[in-house]
Every structure is written in structure tokens, then in C-alpha cells.
Amino acid sequence: MPHSRCNCRCVMCDIWKANHLKKEISVDELNRHLEPFKKLGVREVALSGGEALLHTNLWKFCEGLKSIGVKISLLSTGIALKNNATEIVKYCKDVIVSLDGSRNVHNQIRNIPLAYEKLAEGVDELKNVSVSFRITGRCVLQKQNFRDFFNIIRSAKEIGLDQISFLAADVTSPAFNHTHELSEEKKHEISLNLTEADELEELLKISFVELKKEYKNNFIAESPTKMLSLVQHYRAGSGLGKFPKKKCNAPWVSAVIESDGNVHPCFFHPAYGNIYEKNFMDILNSEKAVLFRKQLEVAKDPVCQRCVCSLYK
């Protein structure tokens, strides 16, 4: 996360509420850790945030990563894509944009005028620079957009995305700048209740028939079984049944570096070091980090059980 600020004000995320703090990892600070990255065999870096494109010197930042052979993926709101299209294609292997719904739904959730229009213009400009450049979408299915599911697929096609994937909303962890546990009222604004979960299940079952081609050719990244796990997640969150089983090795193959320098085993677990205090390799091999990995049981850990974004590579 090279930069802390965000250019959206999404209902399910509080990152933008800390925009006034404006933290970013400088190019000089990154360069200090390039040698440990190289020794560790880091192959890929995902630039997230906040909005990484708000970084004051992002392309110099990327030059350092590419100098050691790292491939770069950019996660973006899409709003600043158009003005950075040439550099994005030069330095990044792909872009993952946030798509929350059809035009009106997306703009409402992003809480920024013309967010959808700017996203579409940005994707178009990237394809103008390189028609083969890969641009995929990621959508958090939650209370404000789950009924728009079919329109999300249609919109993803219309703006030229190569694929769309789906997640449930996170309402239990301190991620997304949730500095304290969300109130029950806020959770109800985001999560699906049992009636809504039933409705989502019916919509998805219809989609398995009507969008059979999109599932088969992986335009929809998740399988039908994986999509139904979103329903199970929301039901479990309402106290009915267990959360979907997770297969995840993120803490053993990756790490998250936040704009304030904190290093996490994944996006949702507490930090076990800070790059402003120690070398990155020393952090990963510290007693605290090693003990965390030794003791973590994904199937039993409450944070992992409620995770909306498990990773397995």
C-alpha cells in the first residue's frame, strides 16, 4: 500500500476517512528494501491502498521494483486511470478495478460524482494504449448492490473488462481502516440479513443457467460453488450455520506492507513489524512472525474463519 489516501468514499470502507493523514512509502524507503525483496525471491507486488495512483512518485517507485524483476499489479478505483494510462501499461502487468454495479448503483456506493463514467473512460484509454492489456474487475456484493448482480456482469462487459470477481463485505476486521468494531447499525447497512441472503441465493441459481457461458469461460472468475459460499458467509454472519471453509496460505507466501510501514501476514491479521524500524527480511524472520506462522491454524482461527478474501498459491 504505497499511499494511504483514496479518491472514493465507499459505504463499506473507511480508508477515505483518514485522507487528512496522508501517509506514503517514499521511493528512498522502498529502495532500502529492494535487496531483501530480491533475496527472498519476491515475484509479484500488488499496489493497493487507498488509491496507489495518488502517490507523489509512483512510477519511480515502480522502476525500483521492476529493476529486480518484480511484476506489478495495480488495484485501482478507476478514477485516475485515464490520465495515467501510458505509465500504467509501461510498468504494470495488469489492473484490477473496483466495480460496484451499473452506472447509478456504482456512483451511489462510491459516493463520488461520475465515478462510473471515469472508470469506463480509464479502461477505454488503457485498451487504446494496449488492446491486450489485462483489466479485471472486483466487486464486493453487499446490501446496496446484490440485486444489481446481472447488471454488474453487463456493465463489466460494456466497459471492456476481461473478467469480474466477487467478494463478500468485511464487517468484522480492522481492515479498510475500521479502527474500531463496526456498530450493529453499520453492519446492517452493509451485510445481508437472512432474507436477503435467500434472495441472493435465488439470483445466483438463476445466473448459473442464464450466465452459463460466463461461468464456463471464466468471465465470472468464481465457480458456482464459490459464488454460493458468499451466501453461506452472510448467513453465518447472521448466526445461521458456519462460515465457508477457507484454504489459504497467504501468511506463508506473501506479506502486506501498509503506507505507515507496518508489515502484516495478510490484510486482516495484526502487524508483526515495521519497515521503518527493521529490514523487511528481518521482520519476516523475526521471532514474532515465525511464531505467528507456526501457531496459525486457518481452519480454527476466528479471523481466518470470517475472512472474505482467502488466498492460495
Side-chain angles (χ1 to χ4, degrees):
M1 302 177 192
H3 192 87
S4 65
R5 290 175 57 219
C6 188
N7 49 17
C8 285
R9 295 168 175 262
C10 302
V11 63
M12 62 283 186
C13 175
D14 289 337
I15 289 175
W16 59 273
K17 292 182 179 180
N19 277 359
H20 61 284
L21 298 176
K22 190 185 176 183
K23 298 176 182 177
E24 71 174 32
I25 300 172
S26 70
V27 173
D28 289 342
E29 184 61 36
L30 172 71
N31 290 342
R32 200 166 67 84
H33 299 278
L34 291 179
E35 189 59 30
F37 284 4
K38 187 175 181 180
K39 288 181 178 179
L40 286 162
V42 174
R43 293 177 291 186
E44 184 170 342
V45 166
L47 301 178
S48 183
E51 172 57 69
L53 290 173
L54 295 177
H55 192 279
T56 55
N57 205 354
L58 184 64
W59 309 122
K60 198 71 177 177
F61 193 94
C62 290
E63 278 183 10
L65 293 171
K66 288 185 75 70
S67 72
I68 59 171
V70 169
K71 295 179 180 179
I72 301 170
S73 292
L74 172 67
L75 280 66
S76 175
T77 65
I79 290 176
L81 291 179
K82 184 177 180 179
N83 293 336
N84 293 279
T86 300
E87 291 82 4
I88 291 170
V89 172
K90 177 180 178 181
Y91 289 103
C92 303
K93 75 177 183 68
D94 69 330
V95 167
I96 304 168
V97 298
S98 299
L99 178 64
D100 293 311
S102 51
R103 186 185 309 272
N104 291 339
V105 173
H106 181 85
N107 288 343
Q108 180 181 359
I109 291 173
R110 293 276 133 182
N111 202 18
I112 293 291
L114 303 178
Y116 182 92
E117 289 81 355
K118 291 176 181 178
L119 167 60
E121 289 176 357
V123 172
D124 186 59
E125 187 62 26
L126 285 171
K127 291 295 186 179
N128 284 338
V129 175
S130 174
V131 68
S132 62
F133 188 75
R134 183 167 174 80
I135 312 169
T136 60
R138 183 171 292 167
C139 178
V140 176
L141 275 182
Q142 38 95 2
K143 189 182 291 283
Q144 291 192 18
N145 69 354
F146 79 94
R147 294 186 180 93
D148 204 37
F149 178 76
F150 282 89
N151 289 328
I152 294 170
I153 305 301
R154 175 185 54 77
S155 297
K157 289 182 177 181
E158 286 182 353
I159 66 176
L161 300 186
D162 297 301
Q163 189 182 57
I164 181 75
S165 65
F166 295 91
L167 299 172
D170 172 62
V171 296
T172 61
S173 84
F176 307 104
N177 197 40
H178 295 156
T179 52
H180 52 81
E181 186 175 355
L182 294 180
S183 66
E184 290 303 312
E185 181 181 2
K186 184 66 173 178
K187 290 179 181 180
H188 291 320
E189 289 178 9
I190 300 170
S191 292
L192 274 59
N193 59 36
L194 290 176
T195 300
E196 291 163 338
D198 290 345
E199 187 177 350
L200 175 60
E201 182 178 33
E202 289 305 310
L203 282 171
L204 291 177
K205 287 181 177 179
I206 294 171
S207 78
F208 301 155
V209 177
E210 297 188 5
L211 299 175
K212 184 177 181 180
K213 178 182 176 182
E214 285 75 6
Y215 284 103
K216 188 174 182 180
N217 64 18
N218 291 322
F219 183 78
I220 299 174
E222 288 76 24
S223 66
T225 299
K226 190 72 177 288
M227 290 300 296
L228 287 175
S229 72
L230 304 185
V231 177
Q232 184 182 349
H233 180 92
Y234 281 121
R235 283 176 176 156
S238 293
L240 182 63
K242 296 181 179 181
F243 286 94
K245 290 183 178 180
K246 299 297 188 302
K247 185 178 183 181
C248 179
N249 62 356
W252 294 272
V253 301
S254 63
V256 173
I257 305 176
E258 291 191 316
S259 56
D260 61 3
N262 279 334
V263 180
H264 298 252
C266 77
F267 198 58
F268 303 97
H269 280 283
Y272 45 41
N274 190 290
I275 61 172
Y276 295 118
E277 299 170 359
K278 288 185 177 180
N279 176 284
F280 181 69
M281 184 178 289
D282 291 340
I283 293 171
L284 291 188
N285 292 321
S286 67
E287 182 179 351
K288 186 175 182 180
V290 171
L291 184 63
F292 174 85
R293 292 191 292 268
K294 282 184 176 181
Q295 294 181 343
L296 180 63
E297 294 185 60
V298 172
K300 297 179 181 180
D301 185 87
V303 173
C304 294
Q305 288 175 342
R306 291 168 171 78
C307 180
V308 298
C309 186
S310 59
L311 168 73
Y312 192 82
K313 288 188 176 182

